[in-house]
Amino acid sequence: MNEPECRDSAIFTQPDERPSPGLLSIVIPCYNEEAVIEATHARICSIAPSLGMQLEIIYIDDGSKDSTLEKLKHLATDDTRIVVLELSRNFGQQAAMSAGLETAQGDAVVIIDADLQDPPEVILEMVAKWRTGIDVAYGRRKSRDGESVFKLISASIFYRFFAAMMPYSVPVDTGDFKLCDRAVVDTVCGLPEKRRYLRSLVPWAGFRHAPVDYDRDARTAGETKYSVVSLLSLAADALLLSSDKPVRIIWLLVIIFTFVGASGLAFSLTASAQAQTGASTVIAVIGFISAAQTAGIAIVGEYVVRCYREAQGRPTFVIRRKINSKS
Ligand code: UDP
Ligand code: MG
């Protein structure tokens, strides 16, 4: 490990001072969520009396093509606790969450999906953890309802692979559902990088982390916004934005194929002419080596593309309009 691990909650005995009652911001990225958004809002409002905090609910419409934005505007007309950010187009969930974090005014900020897969009631436990001095109370999935076996297995493998590739400690079985203290939000929002993957940026910030275990529900309505291709693209960002280990793997390929080449040479020098394998073996070896070389170039290319995008310096998102925003 190059950097200190996130410290465990158990070692903290003295709760930090937390503002009382304090303001809690809830950030909710929304893309084509017309089927569920009103139910989500009702569930979130239902926990408000038990929170013991003032509430700010920030909905980010990430360029929805359905009636999500109209529904959000309608909700915001009678309720000044609701802020609606209308992005100028679909920028993606990571950008939408960043827009919410930058607008949030709360002493603590919760990020939660719009589809009720993450039960809003868990926020009460997160706030309780925050009050004991924890800076990041992250939801850890004990179970996941309504997901295919393929998604369950691939997600489980990916979480572990991702954690192993990061140069600092990253919790597994954890998504974006989490509460972050103001200090954490300011740290993450203050980072200059434009392309963001919050699941690695929040652990990078350090501070005091603790899990809140919960059962993840199935989507109440609507469909996932992620195809296999967009999941792969997100996975590439997850790995390449915070880890240099993929480029180091190229060295592993160099070692493997140096060994393959040396073995082939030794075989051709020592074996009799009849025993020497034919052209098909040569073609196979050349094929493997070419694939490894191409993979190496592709990995470097992925980093170059990300450097190029950062050099361009385009903003992470563009806000077309804000409703009820104080910032
Ligand atoms: N989302 C978004 N922009 C996108 C894709 C998704 O704001 O381009 C939101 C979406 O509305 C939801 C959250 O991100 O609130 C998670 O999306 P989804 O439920 O489709 O992901 P899954 O739970 O299937 O991984
Ligand atoms: Mg979902």
Side-chain angles (χ1 to χ4, degrees), residues 8-317:
D8 195 271
S9 57
I11 61 175
F12 298 102
T13 50
Q14 291 297 316
D16 283 358
E17 284 288 311
R18 296 295 192 205
S20 183
L23 175 68
L24 180 73
S25 302
I26 302 185
V27 165
I28 310 171
C30 309
Y31 180 53
N32 294 343
E33 298 290 6
E34 64 178 5
V36 71
I37 199 66
E38 283 152 335
T40 302
H41 185 64
R43 277 273 289 280
I44 289 191
C45 287
S46 74
I47 64 161
S50 318
L51 270 177
M53 298 183 80
Q54 289 170 354
L55 193 55
E56 173 187 57
I57 309 171
I58 304 176
Y59 290 103
I60 306 96
D61 179 63
D62 187 18
S64 296
K65 294 173 181 66
D66 64 3
S67 63
T68 302
L69 180 61
E70 282 63 43
K71 292 191 171 183
L72 292 175
K73 281 181 183 165
H74 183 69
L75 291 172
T77 40
D78 310 325
D79 193 341
T80 51
R81 297 174 307 172
I82 302 176
V83 175
V84 178
L85 304 180
E86 179 190 345
L87 300 193
S88 63
R89 64 170 172 84
N90 178 248
F91 281 88
Q93 183 187 356
Q94 296 296 318
M97 292 188 297
S98 295
L101 288 182
E102 288 186 18
T103 303
Q105 308 231 308
D107 302 297
V109 182
V110 167
I111 304 173
I112 187 169
D113 288 355
D115 57 5
L116 290 177
Q117 282 196 275
D118 306 319
E121 295 72 23
V122 177
I123 295 173
L124 298 175
E125 281 180 65
M126 292 178 170
V127 169
K129 280 255 158 77
W130 175 70
R131 290 233 172 260
T132 68
I134 293 301
D135 302 307
V136 178
Y138 57 90
R140 187 168 59 188
R141 301 158 178 184
K142 274 193 298 176
S143 66
R144 299 176 67 158
D145 246 19
E147 305 279 21
S148 65
V149 175
F150 170 75
K151 177 104 187 240
L152 288 177
I153 294 175
S154 56
S156 174
I157 293 172
F158 177 74
Y159 283 138
R160 279 148 189 85
F161 179 63
F162 171 58
M165 294 294 278
M166 287 299 113
Y168 44 86
S169 178
V170 173
V172 297
D173 299 326
T174 301
D176 295 299
F177 183 31
K178 53 177 65 82
L179 176 148
C180 298
D181 182 67
R182 165 56 41 199
V184 178
V185 174
D186 286 346
T187 303
V188 170
C189 290
L191 295 173
E193 55 212 78
K194 307 288 183 200
R195 202 174 169 94
R196 289 159 174 226
Y197 186 70
L198 289 171
R199 293 183 200 181
S200 58
L201 287 185
V202 173
W204 173 87
F207 293 88
R208 302 169 181 180
H209 293 234
V212 175
D213 289 322
Y214 73 105
D215 295 304
R216 193 161 205 243
D217 295 329
R219 232 178 197 278
T220 307
E223 290 176 354
T224 179
K225 307 301 175 299
Y226 288 97
S227 62
V228 173
V229 172
S230 51
L231 279 175
L232 287 174
S233 159
L234 194 66
D237 269 358
L239 293 175
L240 303 178
L241 292 177
S242 292
S243 174
D244 52 15
K245 285 188 187 170
V247 92
R248 311 236 177 267
I249 288 174
I250 299 172
W251 286 108
L252 189 65
L253 296 178
V254 171
I255 293 167
I256 291 171
F257 285 103
T258 304
F259 177 76
V260 170
S263 307
L265 183 65
F267 181 76
S268 64
L269 290 177
T270 53
S272 68
Q274 290 85 350
Q276 285 189 18
T277 47
S280 59
T281 309
V282 176
I283 289 169
V285 170
I286 289 175
F288 281 130
I289 293 174
S290 304
Q293 284 175 337
T294 313
I297 293 167
I299 290 171
V300 174
E302 290 289 333
Y303 281 102
V304 172
V305 165
R306 282 164 180 78
C307 290
Y308 171 60
R309 287 189 189 141
E310 289 299 320
Q312 283 179 312
R314 292 183 193 172
T316 310
F317 52 83

